[in-house]
């Protein structure tokens, strides 16, 4: 067989599906997996496909056309810039086998600062590197994911034909662009995951309200299916409807209602929170979503507290149709806030790192292939195409109008849930952000007084020019 156009290391679920995707576009693909039997079984399972299975890395490297294009899809669990994981192990094994200008692509969920370290390290060895976030799970990898590659523009140009052919397409546009240099691709993937956390939690809060209002799972499924035809149309709403419809063959009960209410997480949400704190950007919706997963995982404590700490009697009324409309609006508004916050974080970091990010194009590649794909991403794309320097998504005319129209129902839902003791941390964090952001005057004047009182931190005055600082001789407090 002739030399391969593309090589992939790591034949777990993502790797295998990506290989089949690349091969289906007419490319010959060389494959390698640490455990050789996995490679053998994979190649044997796909007779007639343009696959070259290699038993050693040497054999793998020699089977590739130059400059070699090698994608690593192995477990990535480094949580700091300096942490080493399987990606580093594979890179170290590859370096002595490669030649100048060969390209290594890390397509795993790597921490963006580890990507920056690897980028600099490989450049010092005369090799090229792309850190690419890949979203869409198993199905996306096979049929067309959303890809967020970062690295030198000249390296992207070499990879562009393969990436564009395997990515999902929306209106004929591939869901992949060159995000920016260095760790920009993995950074944007990290925030994408943070937004995904926000979306999922908001949907769960809507479900929880319906459940407390006495909806059956079939009734809830019907609501989500209907929402998927409108403004909220998205992959996550769609799978929520389908999940709620699913019955357990053993008991006939709803599968969702049989699942233990303890959420797992792999870390990208927490990375997003840490990064937001470092950059002083508010992402309260995503924060609430990550914390909701943490609290859910403390199930034993919650079970004990449920018999100790009191809440109100639940009474959500009997007008289910009205409740559905109100929750729809609360979800729509909160979702806008979640994206506004995530994009604000991307914008802030992008400017600090001078990555030259294009938020409109980033939103455009999330329209297909990835987990957060949603109809309203078209509107986000339009918002930034219309105004590339948009300060906050909430101020775009379309989103401003939606928020102004939905805010009353949003408040009613947060109030109703709170009065009934139903936790809605992401709905209420989103509303708190909205109300704080639109407040012409916040109580931070009193906060400044407190700071000046105990620490002589000084303050500015409304009736004096900005930049002039004052201190008051506050009364002494004894005891
Ligand atoms: P896993 O994250 O489960 O990784 C398994 C693969 O890593 C196997 O091929 C394994 O080889 C290989 N591997 C390990 Br573990 N340690 C290795 C080492 N020291 N040297 C060489 N190979 C090693 O696979 P996955 O779920 O397909 O995910 C791959 C990447 O894609 C991860 O970074 C993940 O975060 C990311 N991702 C996953 C999804 C998803 O939906 N699963 C979505 C988006 C991104 P072995 O067979 O010899 O053990």
């Amino acid at each position: 067989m002739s030399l391969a156009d593309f090589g992939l290391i790591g034949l777990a679920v993502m790797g295998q599906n990506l290989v089949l995707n690349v091969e289906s576009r007419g490319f010959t693909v060389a494959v390698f997996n640490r455990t050789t039997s996995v490679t053998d079984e994979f190649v044997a399972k796909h007779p007639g496909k343009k696959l070259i299975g290699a038993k050693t890395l040497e054999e793998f490297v020699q089977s590739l056309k130059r400059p070699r294009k090698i994608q690593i899809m192995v477990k990535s669990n480094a949580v700091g810039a300096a942490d080493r994981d399987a990606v580093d192990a594979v890179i170290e094994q590859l370096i002595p086998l490669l030649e100048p200008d060969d390209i290594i692509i890390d397509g795993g969920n790597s921490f963006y600062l580890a990507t920056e370290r690897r980028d600099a390290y490989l450049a010092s060895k005369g090799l090229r590197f792309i850190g690419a976030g890949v979203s869409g799970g198993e199905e996306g990898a096979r049929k067309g994911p959303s890809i967020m590659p970062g690295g030198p523009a000249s390296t992207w140009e070499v990879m562009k034909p393969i990436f564009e052919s395997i990515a999902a397409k929306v209106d004929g546009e591939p869901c992949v662009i060159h995000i920016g240099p260095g760790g920009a691709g993995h950074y944007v993937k990290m925030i994408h995951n943070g937004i995904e956390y926000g979306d999922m939690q908001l949907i769960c809060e809507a479900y929880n309200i319906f459940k407390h209002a006495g909806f059956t799972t079939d009734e809830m499924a019907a609501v989500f299916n209907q929402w998927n035809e409108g403004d909220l149309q998205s992959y996550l709403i769609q799978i929520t409807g389908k999940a709620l419809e699913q019955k357990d063959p053993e008991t006939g009960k709803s599968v969702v209602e049989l699942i233990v209410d303890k959420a797992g997480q792999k870390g990208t949400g927490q990375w997003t929170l840490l990064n937001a704190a470092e950059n002083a950007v508010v992402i309260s919706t995503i924060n609430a979503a990550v914390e909701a997963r943490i609290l859910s995982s403390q199930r034993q404590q919650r079970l004990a507290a449920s018999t100790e700490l009191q809440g109100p009697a639940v009474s959500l009324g009997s007008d289910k149709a009205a409740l559905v409309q109100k929750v729809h609006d609360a979800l729509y508004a909160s979702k806008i806030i979640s994206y506004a916050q995530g994009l604000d974080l991307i914008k802030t970091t992008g400017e600090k790192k001078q990555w030259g990010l294009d938020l409109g194009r980033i939103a455009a590649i999330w329209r297909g292939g990835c987990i957060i794909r949603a109809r309203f991403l078209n509107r986000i794309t339009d918002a930034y195409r219309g105004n590339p320097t948009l300060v906050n998504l909430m101020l775009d005319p379309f989103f401003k109008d939606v928020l102004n129209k939905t805010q009353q129902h949003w408040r009613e839902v947060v109030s109703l849930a709170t009065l009934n003791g139903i936790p809605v941390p992401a709905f209420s964090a989103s509303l708190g952000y909205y109300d704080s952001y639109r407040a012409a005057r916040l109580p931070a004047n009193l906060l400044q007084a407190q700071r000046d009182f105990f620490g002589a931190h000084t303050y500015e005055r409304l009736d004096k020019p900005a930049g002039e600082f004052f201190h008051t001789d506050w009364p002494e407090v004894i005891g």
Side-chain angles (χ1 to χ4, degrees), residues 13 36 112 118 153 215-216 226-227 241 264 269 309-310 316 321 332 339 345 374 384-385 404 433 439 478:
V13 58
T36 313
Y112 80 105
R118 291 167 186 147
F215 286 56
T216 64
Q226 181 213 328
W227 284 356
L309 303 174
Q310 291 180 358
L316 291 170
Y332 194 13
Y339 280 71
L345 181 53
Y384 285 100
R385 279 189 182 152
N404 286 339
Y433 177 81
I478 298 158

Side-chain angles (χ1 to χ4, degrees), residues 219-254:
E219 282 174 322
M220 287 189 264
V223 170
F224 285 103
N225 291 340
Q226 181 213 328
W227 284 356
N228 197 43
E229 303 295 319
D231 300 323
L232 290 173
Q233 187 281 325
S234 65
Y235 172 70
L236 285 169
I237 292 282
Q238 186 187 12
I239 65 164
T240 301
K242 295 262 171 279
L244 287 164
E245 279 170 2
Q246 194 76 27
K247 299 283 183 285
D248 172 47
E250 204 179 309
T251 60
K253 291 182 179 164
S254 154

